[in-house]
Amino acid sequence: MSTHSINVDERLRDYMLDVSLREHPVMRALRDETADHAHAGMQISPEQGQFMQMLVRMLGAKTCIEVGTFTGYSALAVALALPDGGRLVACDISEEFTKIGKPFWEKAGVADKIDLRIAPATESLDAMIAAGETGSYDFAFIDADKPGYPDYFERCLKLLRPGGVIAVDNIFMGGSAADPETESANAQAMRKFNAALKDDTRVEISLIPIGDGLTLARKV
Ligand code: CA
């Protein structure tokens, strides 16, 4: 029973949420608001949000990066876990999606902690590097277009301090990453990214089978 990660079926997941989920009411409200969205599947699960809040607090993180904000649920989770004066740079290309989250950030009292930058993330991250912010961030979350992951990862790694952590989402790509028959661009991109990360000695890694698979990469 304990030599493998358990298969979390619906019943077990309900139980997991029942005994462990402590979701901020505004996070719940934003999740409800996003539930009917055509791209609702792009939102992280509430248990993953709570896990990321735990990470942020365990790291004592004050400065964070997010690549891929969508309607702002993960940004809200991270911002709520940040101390006073903490800051999250949230990168996304969609004004339309991110504006859904903004009123919820306001309502939760964390809007001043979230610095939203609407532009291709590589441009925003390059601007941060050019501004001398290399080595100064504690935590980064990458959850955007999969072929772009290597570009985002390299930049986030530069911006992180030693001991800082990058959390990379959709490692399993809905299971297709492990299915060689699936030739979609996303599945191929994740396979390539995962294989490269396995041998990347600049980081220590651990793959957490939460949501669609979340790899933690800690900068050595
Ligand atoms: Ca995702």
Side-chain angles (χ1 to χ4, degrees):
M1 286 294 280
S2 60
T3 57
H4 287 69
S5 298
I6 196 166
N7 181 25
V8 181
D9 59 16
E10 282 306 308
R11 180 173 161 176
L12 202 49
R13 181 175 182 258
D14 287 346
Y15 180 74
M16 178 170 93
L17 298 187
D18 192 35
V19 297
S20 73
L21 187 66
R22 299 178 179 177
E23 191 177 29
H24 190 286
V26 181
M27 287 173 65
R28 176 62 201 250
L30 177 52
R31 195 153 62 86
D32 288 344
E33 174 78 23
T34 309
D36 296 330
H37 195 281
H39 300 287
M42 283 166 62
Q43 185 169 63
I44 62 166
S45 65
E47 63 269 33
Q48 184 173 331
Q50 186 168 322
F51 176 67
M52 285 166 52
Q53 290 184 310
M54 177 68 87
L55 270 181
V56 166
R57 292 195 175 106
M58 286 171 75
L59 280 165
K62 295 189 177 73
T63 50
C64 301
I65 301 166
E66 175 172 88
V67 180
T69 297
F70 186 43
T71 63
Y73 183 86
S74 48
L76 178 57
V78 167
L80 282 165
L82 284 171
D84 288 345
R87 192 170 64 93
L88 168 70
V89 178
C91 307
D92 203 283
I93 50 170
S94 174
E95 197 90 57
E96 183 196 341
F97 292 167
T98 52
K99 78 175 180 201
I100 295 170
K102 280 183 183 172
F104 293 86
W105 299 345
E106 294 282 351
K107 203 171 173 186
V110 295
D112 60 330
K113 291 181 180 170
I114 302 174
D115 176 359
L116 177 64
R117 304 194 184 174
I118 302 291
T122 47
E123 286 178 18
S124 298
L125 298 170
D126 281 342
M128 290 154 70
I129 292 165
E133 297 176 15
T134 295
S136 69
Y137 285 81
D138 303 304
F139 175 72
F141 177 50
I142 298 177
D143 185 14
D145 62 291
K146 309 315 167 196
Y149 271 25
D151 287 335
Y152 307 143
F153 187 84
E154 286 306 312
R155 287 161 175 82
C156 286
L157 193 59
K158 255 186 205 165
L159 287 160
L160 237 57
R161 62 162 167 89
V165 169
I166 305 177
V168 188
D169 201 33
N170 299 106
I171 294 301
F172 294 147
M173 207 60 236
S176 67
D179 176 10
E181 302 288 305
T182 308
E183 292 300 333
S184 74
N186 282 343
Q188 292 190 50
M190 283 316 302
R191 260 178 238 140
K192 201 172 162 197
F193 177 82
N194 292 336
L197 194 57
K198 170 98 191 280
D199 297 322
D200 192 333
T201 56
R202 299 171 300 171
V203 289
E204 294 158 349
I205 59 170
S206 181
L207 203 181
I208 313 299
I210 191 170
D212 189 26
L214 185 73
T215 288
L216 305 183
R218 179 181 180 271
K219 184 174 180 175
V220 295

